[in-house]
Amino acid sequence: MMLSSARPSVSASSASGGGGLGARNKSGGVGRARASVGTTRVSGVTRVVVAAAGPDPIPAAVASKMAEGTKTSKNKGFRETMGFASWAPEVINGRVAQLAFVAGVGAELATGETLPVQFHDHIFSVVFVSTLVTLASFIPGIQARRYTAEPRSKGAFGPFSPKKEMMHGRLAMVGLAAALYLEQSGAPLFLR
């Protein structure tokens, strides 16, 4: 097995941000653990390999931190990302619907224009915001190395999570469609 080193040598104290964290050696004292972190490719699968460079074992927490730094994610192609069963169409439509619902209701409360009238009179704004949201949804996949543009790759951030974003997007799509349907008569649904 061939080991190509992503980082030639990393000490345990530098992997944990300093502070002298070390491993216990055979005599009971605390010594500095050194390790080599690299990747190996077997049958088309890339695996992270941590090999000890000395007689001292590497604590699991330190080895885990060292391995996290070498992880990369694979971005999918356009067809896989925008496919019927993929994440992008529903997430992007949900984000656009959330913005459209909040902006439409706010503008209706401020001006008295119904949602269908707003969509008809301001189609350029709707297309511009939809394009901007679509492009912004793919920026993390272009810039990030440890996660993709797919929301599940980043995980939760405080009260925000990919599941909640999906639920709120679905609610906004249903709410926007219902408001457009109910306001076809011309009477505003949201009164001032």
Side-chain angles (χ1 to χ4, degrees):
M1 176 162 61
M2 183 114 187
L3 179 70
S4 64
S5 180
R7 287 190 219 161
S9 181
V10 178
S11 71
S13 61
S14 66
S16 64
L21 179 64
R24 294 220 174 258
N25 59 20
K26 291 179 184 173
S27 63
V30 176
R32 301 248 179 211
R34 297 188 61 78
S36 177
V37 178
T39 58
T40 181
R41 197 161 179 84
V42 177
S43 302
V45 177
T46 303
R47 297 177 193 258
V48 175
V49 177
V50 179
D56 296 335
I58 299 172
V62 175
S64 176
K65 279 187 179 183
M66 290 168 36
E68 276 295 316
T70 63
K71 283 186 180 177
T72 59
S73 58
K74 180 184 176 210
N75 287 324
K76 297 177 182 175
F78 182 78
R79 293 186 78 173
E80 293 147 344
T81 303
M82 294 300 285
F84 182 74
S86 186
W87 66 270
E90 187 172 9
V91 169
I92 292 170
N93 287 331
R95 290 173 181 173
V96 170
Q98 290 175 59
L99 287 173
F101 187 80
V102 170
V105 170
E108 185 172 319
L109 290 172
T111 65
E113 280 186 338
T114 62
L115 288 172
V117 171
Q118 291 177 44
F119 276 88
H120 179 268
D121 293 348
H122 307 287
I123 192 68
F124 176 75
S125 298
V126 172
V127 171
F128 176 74
V129 169
S130 298
T131 304
L132 197 64
V133 168
T134 302
L135 293 174
S137 295
F138 289 111
I139 291 299
I142 295 169
Q143 292 182 339
R145 300 207 187 282
R146 298 176 78 183
Y147 54 86
T148 64
E150 185 173 0
R152 284 185 293 163
S153 69
K154 289 184 273 305
F157 178 71
F160 307 105
S161 71
K163 286 183 180 180
K164 288 181 183 176
E165 180 186 15
M166 190 72 75
M167 182 184 66
H168 292 149
R170 289 172 181 164
L171 290 172
M173 288 186 269
V174 169
L176 189 61
L180 286 170
Y181 176 75
L182 293 173
E183 289 186 345
Q184 286 296 322
S185 65
L189 186 62
F190 304 98
L191 301 173
R192 289 195 255 177

